[in-house]
Amino acid sequence: MNGIILPFFIYATARDRGGFIGLVTVLAVGILGLAAVAGAATGAIASLTKNAAAFSGESMFATSESAAREGARQFIGANAGFAGGAGALVNGAVTSDVTVTDAGWPYFIVRGRAADGRATRENAYRMTIFPEGMAFDYAVYSENALDMGGNATVNGNVYASTSISFTGASATVNGDAFSSNAISDTDNITGDAVVIADAIPPPQIDEGAYRDAAIAAGTYFADANDAEAYLNNQTRSAVVFVEDAGTTKIQGNNTNLMGSIVTMGPLEISGGTYTGTDPYAAVVVFNDLAIKGGATINGIVYTLGSTSFGSGTNTINGSLISAGGATLTDVTGNAVINFVASAVSGWQSLLGLTTTTSAPPRALGWSEE
């Protein structure tokens, strides 16, 4: 019987060999097809998962940014009295909150945070409660108008609340220029000319602290003539305070003052070197200031009146703060003003700086954390 079956099997196999191979091929193709479908499904699921995570991250970013923005708004509205709190639970957020962190006077960080169990995002606004301090970010700050004449050169950014103009063809600002109004002659500006929405209020220096320091040191002068005799062509290390409402004239190329010169009346500087020492501004004038004769001033120059430059190459290494609301900052002649951050960085501890302000807090910048 085996002899009968075997030939039949051989015959049957040979006869159906093509069909068998076809069946195997179909099965193989089917298996490969199923594998491909499964692979595609797996990829689709992974893509969906990835997209869901990305969507979650984007949603939490938007929620945290909204929380930070609202926190900054409340911080400004409450005049720095807002200490943080809960944020809105939107976009599927499980938690959302706002925190306020002291970053060292006068700065604060307002953070918005949001999480939904899949993603956590944070955004922050850097705030200042003393907007007047922004004046110290510039090589030249003018509360009113700024005119650049002659061959005057400013190496750093400049700001003027009303206008910036150039009456000197060679006058140059090697930096950006900011103003609340139009800026003319932008060809004289190597950086950008930017019109800003909110004016920067002027910082106020209290003469009382300088007066007290001078009285204690014996360098307080009621008469300008006595101050001139003390300083002209002399090397001194002192805070010199001149109460005289008349003009004080400090002159002489050999004049070298380490400390500060403060006058209640106009001040004329002709030649010499004046270097501010922490925590003092180098020159403080509660009236008009005129600089000529190749004078060099290292530190902050602060005036409440007009500021002008005359003959000679006069140099300020630090910054010029002209806080007179009805005056013109006239940078002419061969004046060179170099913004030196290290000479200005001590403004927060500047002796006699009035830290009370009528201006509301202001946002300085935004970042994702």
Side-chain angles (χ1 to χ4, degrees):
M1 187 170 182
N2 289 340
I4 296 173
I5 294 174
L6 182 59
F8 176 80
F9 174 77
I10 294 173
Y11 170 76
T13 300
R15 184 186 64 183
D16 296 334
R17 184 175 299 154
F20 179 76
I21 292 173
L23 178 60
V24 171
T25 301
V26 170
L27 289 173
V29 171
I31 292 171
L32 290 174
L34 289 172
V37 171
T42 301
I45 292 172
S47 178
L48 287 172
T49 302
K50 182 178 180 180
N51 289 340
F55 180 76
S56 175
E58 292 172 358
S59 297
M60 292 307 98
F61 171 84
T63 304
S64 62
E65 199 280 334
S66 178
R69 182 184 295 272
E70 176 61 19
R73 187 191 68 80
Q74 292 196 43
F75 187 84
I76 293 172
N79 199 25
F82 175 66
L89 296 177
V90 297
N91 296 329
V94 176
T95 61
S96 177
D97 57 72
V98 180
T99 58
V100 178
T101 304
D102 188 338
W105 188 92
Y107 304 111
F108 286 80
I109 305 297
V110 177
R111 289 185 176 87
R113 178 182 177 276
D116 65 353
R118 186 188 296 269
T120 300
R121 302 292 285 269
E122 289 187 1
N123 288 279
Y125 281 86
R126 182 174 175 82
M127 313 293 295
T128 178
I129 60 172
F130 190 66
E132 291 89 338
M134 298 168 65
F136 295 94
D137 293 335
Y138 300 92
V140 178
Y141 166 91
S142 177
E143 185 184 355
N144 195 345
L146 169 63
D147 179 68
M148 298 282 293
N151 298 315
T153 300
V154 175
N155 296 311
N157 299 334
V158 301
Y159 168 88
S161 61
T162 59
S163 64
I164 298 175
S165 59
F166 293 84
T167 55
S170 300
T172 305
V173 172
N174 292 314
D176 299 329
F178 299 82
S179 178
S180 300
N181 291 293
I183 300 172
S184 63
D185 304 315
T186 56
D187 290 342
N188 297 67
I189 303 169
T190 62
D192 296 325
V194 183
V195 177
I196 61 177
D198 298 321
I200 299 172
Q204 302 297 322
I205 288 181
D206 179 10
E207 75 274 12
Y210 284 83
R211 183 186 287 108
D212 292 344
I215 291 174
T219 51
Y220 167 88
F221 299 97
D223 191 297
N225 292 328
D226 295 334
E228 294 166 2
Y230 176 77
L231 287 175
N232 289 346
N233 285 313
Q234 301 294 320
T235 296
R236 303 292 189 185
S237 180
V239 174
V240 178
F241 193 99
V242 184
E243 196 75 56
D244 198 335
T247 300
T248 300
K249 298 181 179 180
I250 307 301
Q251 54 193 345
N253 292 330
N254 293 324
T255 302
N256 188 353
L257 173 63
M258 299 283 293
S260 182
I261 171 70
V262 184
T263 65
M264 297 305 295
L267 173 64
E268 294 182 7
I269 291 177
S270 180
T273 301
Y274 309 83
T275 302
T277 56
D278 188 47
Y280 305 107
V283 176
V284 178
V285 183
F286 292 92
N287 209 294
D288 297 336
L289 170 65
I291 304 172
K292 62 181 180 179
T296 298
I297 303 175
N298 304 307
I300 295 172
V301 177
Y302 178 93
T303 72
L304 285 185
S306 64
T307 304
S308 61
F309 294 80
S311 61
T313 301
N314 304 288
T315 304
I316 295 176
N317 298 310
S319 69
L320 169 61
I321 309 295
S322 187
T327 60
L328 170 70
T329 303
D330 188 18
V331 182
T332 60
N334 294 317
V336 178
I337 301 177
N338 302 308
F339 181 73
V340 179
S342 60
V344 181
S345 61
W347 72 264
Q348 295 177 40
S349 61
L350 195 64
L351 186 62
L353 181 68
T354 301
T355 57
T356 56
T357 175
S358 59
R362 187 175 297 184
L364 299 178
W366 169 91
S367 64
E368 182 184 4
E369 297 187 342

